[in-house]
Amino acid sequence: MSVPAARAHEILSPVKPGLIAVSLIAALFFNLLPWPGVMLFVRPDFVALTLLYWCIHRPHKVGFWTAWFMGLLMDIADGAVFGQHALAYALLAYLAILLHRRVLMFGLRKQIWHVLPVLLLTQMAILLINIYSGANFIGWGIFLSSITGALLWPALSILLLLPQRPKPDPEEI
């Protein structure tokens, strides 16, 4: 049995700022977990994926400033060139806000095809900044993380929609 995103007749509860903050902090922690060897290449950028979700579903609450701040936190935590994630996440936020109405018109499976290019462009921005700053190109395998991130999109959407769904009325059952 598959759980659809938000059904057309369903009214979702407002998103609490605490849910957004907790999901972004959890995504940051998932990014910082010590992933072994090949898993590091297929591990999606959880912060980018979570930012993308909130910029698509709640663009009036999560936007450029949140993306920029989370990018700076990722730069500090990752020991990367300062500002590379911030710039890439700001690009992600721009694209997500630009496409949010279009993406929400589709079901979760078709949303993957809209999410994938945004994640690939974000990854490309990070890669170009790394190369420009003198790092070596580590191979095309770096883009596998964008593919796994896009494949995780339906699961993340369902997980983050759960707290917003109305509680079932016991009298209707």
Side-chain angles (χ1 to χ4, degrees), residues 36-110:
V38 177
M39 290 297 292
L40 192 58
F41 280 109
V42 292
R43 170 195 56 96
D45 187 345
F46 290 103
V47 174
L49 197 59
T50 308
L51 275 171
L52 184 60
Y53 174 84
W54 288 119
C55 285
I56 287 174
H57 286 269
R58 297 294 182 261
H60 57 282
K61 291 193 179 215
V62 176
F64 295 109
W65 288 111
T66 307
W68 187 262
F69 178 73
M70 291 304 295
L72 290 177
L73 284 179
M74 269 305 298
D75 290 333
I76 292 168
D78 210 19
V81 174
F82 197 63
Q84 81 174 15
H85 284 94
L87 179 64
Y89 291 168
L91 173 68
L92 175 133
Y94 172 75
L95 293 171
I97 292 168
L98 184 70
L99 298 172
H100 82 277
R101 289 181 188 235
R102 178 186 172 96
V103 172
L104 291 175
M105 288 184 349
F106 296 100
L108 288 176
R109 286 190 199 135
K110 290 185 180 177

Side-chain angles (χ1 to χ4, degrees), residues 28-44:
L28 183 66
F29 284 133
F30 274 117
N31 267 10
L32 298 178
L33 285 175
W35 297 84
V38 177
M39 290 297 292
L40 192 58
F41 280 109
V42 292
R43 170 195 56 96

Side-chain angles (χ1 to χ4, degrees), residues 61 65 110-113 134-135 154 163 173:
K61 291 193 179 215
W65 288 111
K110 290 185 180 177
Q111 286 179 10
I112 291 172
W113 296 107
I173 298 176

Side-chain angles (χ1 to χ4, degrees), residues 128-142:
L128 289 175
I129 293 168
N130 274 337
I131 290 173
Y132 185 73
S133 66
N136 293 328
F137 179 64
I138 57 175
W140 296 105
I142 195 167

